[in-house]
Amino acid sequence: MKYKVFIFDIDNPLTSSRDWQFVPSAIEALKQLRGKGYTVVISSGRTPGLAVMLDEAGIEYDYFVGANGHMVADGRKNVLWETHFDPELCNRIERFVRKHDMGFFWKFTEGPYIIVSNETIERIFSVYHCHGIERPTPFLTFGGAMV
């Protein structure tokens, strides 16, 4: 069977673990794959706001799977499918972390929201900063939705 689809994560296959910048040879490889007619899918646990970083790096793709599989968009940023957590479950989780003073944040399409900040959350945001994402994340347009 001949493969026609290539799926890539962002971290390490396409970015350097040293500075989290996109690796030029990886960008070129994606261009060559698309030039040969293969379908390129970018899959990430990150929110759809990552599409702006992909655009800035000149990375073209056919599909984007983001937010740990909670949304799928095409290369023109049209959302093809998405699902959400049950709001009551989210409320129960928030009450629990507040009650136990746990460090916690949600990653929404609008960006991250800190529920309870502590040392662990601050370390997480320092990693976000390494990825070029400032705190707080600015609102960006993605397929007509705010991300």
Side-chain angles (χ1 to χ4, degrees):
M1 171 195 282
K2 184 176 179 183
Y3 294 99
K4 297 184 180 187
V5 176
F6 287 84
I7 303 171
F8 297 91
D9 189 5
I10 294 295
D11 301 319
N12 294 325
L14 301 180
T15 61
S16 166
S17 60
R18 281 177 264 137
D19 61 7
W20 300 104
Q21 299 299 309
F22 288 103
V23 178
S25 60
I27 296 171
E28 181 58 31
L30 295 177
K31 288 179 183 176
Q32 288 181 18
L33 286 170
R34 291 191 81 227
K36 292 180 179 180
Y38 293 106
T39 299
V40 172
V41 179
I42 304 295
S43 181
S44 178
R46 299 188 200 185
T47 62
L50 173 65
V52 173
M53 292 172 59
L54 296 170
D55 289 346
E56 289 172 353
I59 296 174
E60 294 182 10
Y61 52 90
D62 298 290
Y63 297 96
F64 176 82
V65 178
N68 289 316
H70 282 239
M71 66 83 61
V72 177
D74 65 18
R76 294 179 306 282
K77 300 175 187 63
N78 298 308
V79 176
L80 305 175
W81 180 84
E82 64 184 333
T83 187
H84 304 277
F85 286 108
D86 174 59
E88 180 51 36
L89 174 62
C90 295
N91 288 332
R92 286 177 38 217
I93 292 169
E94 182 176 346
R95 286 192 300 271
F96 181 86
V97 299
R98 285 185 187 278
K99 178 181 177 181
H100 297 281
D101 195 32
M102 298 170 66
F104 188 79
F105 75 95
W106 292 104
K107 277 177 38 178
F108 293 103
T109 54
E110 296 88 16
Y113 291 95
I114 297 174
I115 303 300
V116 178
S117 183
N118 66 14
E119 186 178 321
T120 302
I121 293 299
E122 295 307 317
R123 279 197 312 269
I124 289 170
F125 273 101
S126 72
V127 171
Y128 267 95
H129 184 71
C130 289
H131 288 277
I133 300 171
E134 298 297 327
R135 179 181 176 206
T137 303
F139 290 104
L140 305 166
T141 302
F142 186 91
M146 295 300 287
V147 296

